[in-house]
């Protein structure tokens, strides 16, 4: 049988798995945490629309995209639990900064230029943008800095991290992201 005969059932299984995962997620969130918010509802809705659109154009890619979605939801849950205690974030701030700087160095040394920016690293069939994880680190470090603004040491670490990140984004050619975060930095510290 041809490949296209098998693509439609695989896409259907992927879409059904997505809907089942969504129902399970909201059941567990309501049962143990008191309910999901508009953020989760919007994310599931938009991801579902994207999966249905992908199923119509490239059915074989649905399962891979679904896997990436599951990983994203798991990361969201871990991230939310980590952020639930600001003291824990403060405790790991220097480690977060070090990890982000390592990701920027990897991006600058191993990154491929796609769409005018040197943001992509290919690992087998997977393409990732390490600078996207650095955005999360920026938010974490910025949050702890605003939380502990009285201490000059916290602000110094944030400014050093911010400078390294802006310089790396400039070298990668991702000046749009650099501008957005530069102005958000100015807004939050003025």
């Amino acid at each position: 049988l041809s490949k296209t005969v098998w693509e439609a059932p695989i896409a259907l299984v992927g879409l059904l798995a997505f809907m089942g995962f969504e129902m399970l997620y909201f059941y567990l969130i309501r049962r143990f945490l008191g309910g999901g918010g508009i953020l989760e509802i919007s994310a599931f809705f938009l991801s579902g629309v994207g999966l249905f659109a992908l199923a119509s154009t490239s059915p074989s890619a649905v399962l891979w995209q679904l896997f990436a979605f599951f990983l994203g939801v798991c990361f969201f849950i871990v991230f939310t639990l980590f952020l639930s205690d600001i003291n824990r974030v403060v405790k790991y701030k220097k480690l977060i900064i070090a990890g982000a700087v390592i990701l920027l160095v990897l991006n600058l040394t191993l990154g491929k230029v796609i769409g005018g920016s040197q943001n992509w690293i290919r690992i087998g069939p997977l393409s990732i943008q390490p600078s996207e994880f650095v955005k999360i680190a920026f938010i974490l470090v910025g949050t702890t800095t605003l939380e502990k603004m009285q201490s000059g040491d916290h602000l110094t670490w944030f400014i050093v991290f911010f400078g390294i990140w802006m310089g790396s984004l400039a070298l990668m050619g991702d000046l749009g992201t650099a501008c957005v975060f530069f102005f958000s930095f100015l807004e939050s510290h003025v």
Side-chain angles (χ1 to χ4, degrees):
L1 293 172
S2 71
K3 181 180 174 185
T4 56
V5 170
W6 294 106
E7 285 182 341
I10 290 172
L12 180 61
V13 167
L15 293 172
L16 290 173
F18 172 77
M19 289 187 287
F21 179 71
E22 181 177 10
M23 287 187 282
L24 177 66
Y25 177 85
F26 282 105
Y27 170 76
L28 293 174
I29 290 295
R30 284 199 177 120
R31 176 97 163 99
F32 297 108
L33 299 176
I38 192 71
L39 178 66
E40 291 99 330
I41 293 169
S42 300
F44 271 97
F45 173 73
L46 293 173
S47 297
V49 169
L51 277 175
F52 275 92
L54 183 64
S56 69
T57 59
S58 180
S60 61
V62 169
L63 291 180
W64 183 249
Q65 191 64 33
L66 188 61
F67 174 71
F69 177 77
F70 290 151
L71 284 178
V73 170
C74 292
F75 182 73
F76 171 75
I77 292 168
V78 168
F79 187 67
T80 302
L81 292 173
F82 182 72
L83 281 177
S84 65
D85 181 10
I86 193 70
N87 291 324
R88 179 177 33 224
V89 179
V90 169
K91 180 179 173 184
Y92 291 106
K93 181 169 79 171
K94 291 179 183 176
L95 184 63
I96 293 168
I97 291 172
V101 169
I102 289 169
L103 285 175
L104 289 171
V105 169
L106 285 174
N107 209 52
L108 287 170
T109 57
L110 302 175
K112 304 287 184 226
V113 176
I114 297 176
S117 296
Q118 184 180 344
N119 285 346
W120 296 91
I121 294 179
R122 195 167 223 11
I123 302 170
L126 182 67
S127 292
I128 62 168
Q129 284 184 289
S131 61
E132 294 300 316
F133 295 103
V134 177
K135 288 178 186 176
I136 295 168
F138 179 82
I139 292 167
L140 290 172
V141 172
T143 302
T144 61
T145 300
L146 291 174
E147 178 71 16
K148 306 287 184 182
M149 189 63 96
Q150 298 87 359
S151 169
D153 183 47
H154 290 280
L155 186 59
T156 303
W157 273 105
F158 182 70
I159 290 173
V160 167
F161 174 58
F162 182 77
I164 291 170
W165 190 41
M166 287 295 113
S168 297
L169 285 173
L171 290 172
M172 287 181 244
D174 194 0
L175 296 177
T177 299
C179 286
V180 167
F181 278 91
F182 176 71
F183 288 113
S184 68
F185 171 77
L186 286 179
E187 177 66 27
S188 66
H189 288 82
V190 173

